[in-house]
Amino acid sequence: AQSVTQPDIHITVSEGASLELRCNYSYGATPYLFWYVQSPGQGLQLLLKYFSGDTLVQGIKGFEAEFKRSQSSFNLRKPSVHWSDAAEYFCAVGAHVGGSQGNLIFGKGTKLSVKP
Amino acid sequence: DAGVIQSPRHEVTEMGQEVTLRCKPISGHNSLFWYRQTMMRGLELLIYFNNNVPIDDSGMPEDRFSAKMPNASFSTLKIQPSEPRDSAVYFCASSSGLAGQYEQYFGPGTRLTVT
């Protein structure tokens, strides 16, 4: 069965510092991978997605993520965090085929706090 | 362009009452998803539709929950009777395809409190 693990429940970084949020997935083939962001009181917004091809994908708001098949990881990075990046971040995996096609499996989320 | 629209944004009700949550997907999208988010369980998929037909309702917690999609522009999630443990934020999302690569666009959610 597919699963997504985000090992860090809460991360605090200083404004201007770099950020890496971890995501590990379990899936039998090359998955579709997504990162979403949720600001307080809001719905989820897509940051970026990986389907195939270049393993380093660029997203909105200066975020990027790298797909590493050997590590079953899809970590999210940003070189310099802004206070407005404080939010909760969700990694998700989507199935290619099968009965769960269309279903996204979400991780538990990582809450990011930004210190001034 | 209007995104996914959910109503109401907040709902407070007493245990035992019927609750109906509403969702209008993005025009042209043919897949619709209902999620529930709680601190304890995170984001859970309840049910999803493709072309107005329920595809997978295995996430619906129990018979008190039901969902319908009478047409391509409207869906409801009903809880009858409601219980305090149903308190959560309920999200509706839509996408332009059912295959796993299609981005899901989320609505702002309905915060349900059952007292």
Side-chain angles (χ1 to χ4, degrees):
Chain A
Q2 303 161 67
S3 66
V4 177
T5 302
Q6 294 181 246
D8 304 305
I9 296 173
H10 190 188
I11 284 181
T12 299
V13 301
S14 297
E15 190 167 18
S18 63
L19 170 71
E20 182 168 28
L21 302 183
R22 295 183 290 165
C23 173
N24 294 97
Y25 67 90
S26 173
Y27 184 64
T30 300
Y32 297 121
L33 294 163
F34 305 81
W35 274 101
Y36 283 82
V37 60
Q38 184 181 27
S39 298
Q42 304 293 317
L44 279 70
Q45 179 187 19
L46 182 71
L47 282 176
L48 48 77
K49 57 190 176 186
Y50 172 77
F51 293 160
S52 63
D54 193 347
T55 56
L56 184 63
V57 293
Q58 303 296 320
I60 62 172
K61 305 183 180 185
F63 285 91
E64 66 178 25
E66 186 171 12
F67 169 61
K68 292 186 177 180
R69 183 190 304 274
S70 61
Q71 298 177 19
S72 297
S73 69
F74 188 57
N75 293 349
L76 182 71
R77 300 193 295 248
K78 186 169 184 177
S80 177
V81 170
H82 189 262
W83 64 266
S84 61
D85 294 325
E88 190 155 18
Y89 292 79
F90 293 89
C91 182
V93 61
H96 281 227
V97 294
S100 59
Q101 188 178 24
N103 187 1
L104 287 185
I105 306 298
F106 284 86
K108 296 291 188 185
T110 297
K111 185 175 181 179
L112 173 66
S113 297
V114 180
K115 293 189 300 184
Chain B
D1 289 342
V4 175
I5 299 172
Q6 291 187 246
S7 64
R9 292 294 309 276
H10 301 273
E11 177 79 39
V12 180
T13 191
E14 292 182 347
M15 182 175 63
Q17 296 298 305
E18 177 180 297
V19 175
T20 299
L21 311 181
R22 296 173 175 80
C23 175
K24 177 179 171 55
I26 292 172
S27 178
H29 282 188
N30 62 2
S31 297
L32 183 140
F33 306 79
W34 282 102
Y35 291 90
R36 177 173 69 176
Q37 185 179 40
T38 61
M39 290 290 291
M40 291 296 295
R41 301 173 67 91
L43 197 61
E44 303 172 276
L45 177 67
L46 300 178
I47 184 172
Y48 65 95
F49 297 82
N50 184 240
N51 294 323
N52 312 334
V53 175
I55 302 300
D56 185 351
D57 65 355
S58 59
M60 297 286 262
E62 47 196 279
D63 292 346
R64 298 184 296 106
F65 286 70
S66 63
K68 294 182 179 180
M69 192 164 186
N71 57 62
S73 59
F74 183 65
S75 177
T76 59
L77 178 67
K78 184 178 293 186
I79 307 173
Q80 165 63 17
S82 58
E83 297 182 1
R85 60 191 168 123
D86 301 330
S87 297
V89 180
Y90 291 81
F91 289 103
C92 176
S94 70
S95 70
S96 55
L98 188 57
Q101 78 266 33
Y102 290 96
E103 173 185 353
Q104 293 184 19
Y105 292 80
F106 282 74
T110 295
R111 181 174 295 277
L112 173 65
T113 302
V114 183
T115 61

